[in-house]
């Protein structure tokens, strides 16, 4: 009997261990406790989201193995109206806006002054600004690297979850919710060949979320953040980092310029990084420290897409920085110029990024550091 009891206890223990393994290894439930699935899809089955709101077209998708990078394609919607939006050429602003009317009794003695006043004022800014807006070329379609929010968006959509299942919809409710006139469309592509989910989207004022109307007439209420992320994809879903390694990781910086190179070492001293020449590591160079910090903190004005050439032409590289740690490469940065504009790219960016005009000072610092010339005395 004692042996039989031991076997029973062993079987119970083994069953408990198996049950614990199932509980701990199963994937966590998707969505909040009160959310419902929009479609019977498995986790990770949605592979891409396509958004068109009548002005912007956004595609969020994940590349294949091994990197599994999320890419955000941003373009102008094919259904976008003409640039003036149907407005008159002057957008309702008279050609002589900002010009004071000539006095009828001004006489004839100051003809030149009256003619000057009669001409449209270009320094007023209104006509010139409107003309610049109309003539500015739209940005080309761009493929940009997605950030953490873009990755989370794909996870939230796989499978898509709704806060409420509103069931069928009447024509009157469809009109009341703005779905009849809505130009917003969302399509989710799945891993199943030929299987996509298509929705008309509406976000009426005062709503508790966004409404998704399926092609079969079924209505769902989802979190509005989904629509906000897709509508502002260029700012909310795009990765603007220059590097993925931390600022304190590199221990060596090599400056390459005009076929020559110079190596600097980076050391942490009392909580701050100091930069010195590799051949004289115990003597920090203040300008080299400032240069390294400014290069690390470059902030782009505009991110260009993968493979995109700036409208000013192909940038000419002014210098290159290579970062290493323990002689292992971490990344690099190139500063370049096209026309009067400055650009940069790194191992992490999708392509070139446009920089502020003051970035030209980095080129001047690089020349002094490479040649060993001292920095100019402060004025």
């Amino acid at each position: 009997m004692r042996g039989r009891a031991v076997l029973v206890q062993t079987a119970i223990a083994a069953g408990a261990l198996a049950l614990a393994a199932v509980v701990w290894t199963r994937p966590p439930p998707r969505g909040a406790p009160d959310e419902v699935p929009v479609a019977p899809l498995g986790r990770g089955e949605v592979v891409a989201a396509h958004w068109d709101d009548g002005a912007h077209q956004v595609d969020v998708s994940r590349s294949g193995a091994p990197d599994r990078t999320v890419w955000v394609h941003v373009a102008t919607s094919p259904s976008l109206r003409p640039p003036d939006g149907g407005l008159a050429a002057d957008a309702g602003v008279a050609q002589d806006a900002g010009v004071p009317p000539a006095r009828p009794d001004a006489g004839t003695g100051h003809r030149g002054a009256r003619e000057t006043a009669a001409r449209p004022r270009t320094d007023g800014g209104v006509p010139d600004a409107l003309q610049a807006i109309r003539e500015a070329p739209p940005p080309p379609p761009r493929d940009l690297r997605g950030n953490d929010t873009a990755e989370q968006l794909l996870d939230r959509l796989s499978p898509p979850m709704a806060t409420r299942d509103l069931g069928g919809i009447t024509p009157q409710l469809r009109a009341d919710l703005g779905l009849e006139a809505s130009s917003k469309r969302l399509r989710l592509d799945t891993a199943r060949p030929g299987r996509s989910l298509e929705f008309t989207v509406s976000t009426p004022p005062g709503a508790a979320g966004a409404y998704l109307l399926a092609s079969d007439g079924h209505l769902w209420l989802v979190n509005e953040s989904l629509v906000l992320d897709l509508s502002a994809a260029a700012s909310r879903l795009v990765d603007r980092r220059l590097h993925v390694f931390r600022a304190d990781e590199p221990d060596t910086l090599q400056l390459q310029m005009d076929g020559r190179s110079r190596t600097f070492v980076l050391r942490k001293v009392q909580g701050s990084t100091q930069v010195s020449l590799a051949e004289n590591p115990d003597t920090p160079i203040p300008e080299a420290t400032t240069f390294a910090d400014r290069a690390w903190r470059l902030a782009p004005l505009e991110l260009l897409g993968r493979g995109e050439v700036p409208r000013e032409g192909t940038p000419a590289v002014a210098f290159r920085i290579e970062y290493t740690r323990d002689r292992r490469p971490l990344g690099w940065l190139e500063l370049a110029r096209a026309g009067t504009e400055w650009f940069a790219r790194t191992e992490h960016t999708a392509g070139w990024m446009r920089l502020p005009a003051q970035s030209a000072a980095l080129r001047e610092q690089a020349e002094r550091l490479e040649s060993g010339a001292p920095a100019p005395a402060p004025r």
Side-chain angles (χ1 to χ4, degrees):
M1 292 296 292
R2 182 175 300 176
R4 184 175 180 181
V6 171
L7 291 176
V8 170
Q9 291 296 328
T10 302
I12 293 174
L17 288 174
L19 180 60
V22 171
V23 171
W24 282 100
T25 59
R26 69 182 178 186
R30 304 294 294 164
D34 56 346
E35 286 186 327
V36 292
V38 172
L41 297 175
R43 187 176 183 180
E45 204 165 337
V46 172
V47 295
H50 306 273
W51 170 260
D52 191 329
D53 59 11
H56 309 93
Q57 193 175 59
V58 178
D59 299 332
V60 184
S61 59
R62 198 186 302 272
S63 64
D67 58 350
R68 303 285 291 165
T69 301
V70 173
W71 289 95
V72 179
H73 178 82
V74 181
T76 301
S77 172
S79 59
L80 183 65
R81 296 178 180 179
D84 60 3
L87 298 177
D90 58 3
V93 180
Q95 291 297 317
D96 58 353
V99 180
R103 292 174 52 191
D105 58 347
T108 59
H110 302 283
R111 181 178 179 183
R114 291 203 313 275
E115 288 180 351
T116 301
R119 289 196 296 267
R121 292 173 53 185
T122 57
D123 60 348
V126 176
D128 288 348
L130 292 173
Q131 182 178 357
I133 291 173
R134 288 195 296 266
E135 293 179 355
R142 286 172 173 166
D143 290 315
L144 302 165
R145 189 185 294 273
N147 58 14
D148 291 342
T149 304
E151 293 194 14
Q152 293 165 9
L153 181 139
L154 279 183
D155 291 339
R156 283 161 45 202
L157 290 173
S158 193
M161 306 295 290
T163 56
R164 289 185 63 187
D165 179 353
L166 300 176
I169 184 173
T170 64
Q172 181 61 47
L173 183 57
R174 181 177 181 139
D176 292 343
L177 295 178
L179 290 161
E180 194 68 44
S182 177
S183 61
K184 300 181 177 72
R185 301 289 185 271
L186 173 65
R187 189 182 84 241
L188 305 178
D189 292 343
T190 73
R192 305 179 190 181
R195 174 77 187 278
S196 295
L197 305 177
E198 298 188 10
F199 305 93
T200 301
V201 184
S202 174
T203 53
Y211 292 97
L212 266 59
L213 180 64
S215 55
D216 61 358
H218 204 104
L219 186 65
W220 309 87
L221 182 67
V222 300
N223 195 303
E224 191 179 10
S225 63
L226 170 64
V227 174
L228 294 176
D229 287 342
L230 291 169
S231 298
S235 59
R236 296 173 70 109
L237 300 183
V238 173
D239 192 347
R240 302 180 69 86
R241 293 176 299 172
L242 273 66
H243 312 281
V244 293
F245 56 88
R246 300 188 313 272
D248 60 352
E249 288 190 63
D251 58 16
T252 304
L253 178 157
Q254 187 182 72
L255 175 62
Q256 301 175 358
M257 189 175 200
D258 298 330
R260 304 181 300 274
S261 66
R262 201 156 202 188
T263 302
F264 299 83
V265 293
L266 291 77
R267 288 183 173 180
K268 204 80 168 177
V269 179
Q270 296 181 349
S272 62
T273 300
Q274 295 185 352
V275 182
S276 312
L277 282 170
E279 56 267 29
N280 193 9
D282 296 325
T283 306
I285 303 176
E287 186 171 22
T289 302
T290 302
F291 172 79
D293 183 67
R294 292 181 63 184
W296 177 265
R297 297 179 184 275
L298 279 175
L301 293 176
E302 179 186 20
L303 295 177
L304 277 62
R306 180 171 47 180
E308 180 182 350
V309 177
R311 57 179 176 268
E312 293 83 0
T314 302
V317 176
F319 66 80
R320 178 184 173 98
I321 297 174
E322 292 194 351
Y323 299 95
T324 58
R325 181 176 182 84
D326 297 331
R327 299 184 179 181
R328 293 183 296 102
L330 291 176
W332 51 269
L333 177 144
E334 288 181 341
L335 190 87
R337 184 176 181 177
T340 60
E341 297 291 313
W342 288 90
F343 299 86
R345 64 182 176 185
T346 72
E347 82 289 342
H348 183 67
T349 59
W352 291 107
M353 55 185 185
R354 190 181 302 273
L355 300 176
Q358 57 266 34
S359 301
L362 276 173
R363 161 73 184 192
E364 299 171 4
Q365 281 188 307
E367 287 179 338
R368 291 194 295 269
L369 291 172
E370 194 281 325
S371 63
R379 297 179 181 177

